[in-house]
Amino acid sequence: MRTGILLRGIGFAMLPLALAACGGRQPLKPIEGQKMPAVPVGAAAAPTAQELMTPSIQARPERTVDLLTNSRVREDDPFDLPPESQP
């Protein structure tokens, strides 16, 4: 009985390792017979695979520091009504 529980625990512990080993570490290449993406308008050259995988500043903006310095009581909201019950 205890052996089954122990083996199941070891199996669950090994699962993340098995899933982590599934990822490839090879550079990205187009599939045979397909072309690379078109050069964007205004760009001098086509972006590389690494450039396409790196998020832009707009995709990952910097965090602004606008911490709440003092708390205040919320005012009553007349539009904050409970949902109507459906018959």
Side-chain angles (χ1 to χ4, degrees):
M1 184 72 169
R2 287 189 179 266
T3 307
I5 294 172
L6 181 63
L7 289 176
R8 187 176 299 163
I10 291 172
F12 281 128
M14 297 299 282
L15 184 64
L17 289 174
L19 291 175
C22 292
R25 301 275 185 209
Q26 301 165 357
L28 298 175
K29 294 183 243 174
I31 298 174
E32 189 175 322
Q34 287 188 343
K35 297 185 282 186
M36 289 292 288
V39 178
V41 175
T48 63
Q50 186 61 37
E51 291 171 343
L52 290 171
M53 295 293 293
T54 305
S56 68
I57 297 297
Q58 290 179 330
R60 294 186 67 179
E62 293 290 323
R63 180 178 176 190
T64 59
V65 183
D66 52 353
L67 301 174
L68 184 63
T69 55
N70 56 350
S71 61
R72 53 187 178 263
V73 178
R74 292 179 76 177
E75 297 177 15
D76 187 33
D77 184 3
F79 298 103
D80 187 19
L81 303 173
E84 293 182 17
S85 61
Q86 298 293 327

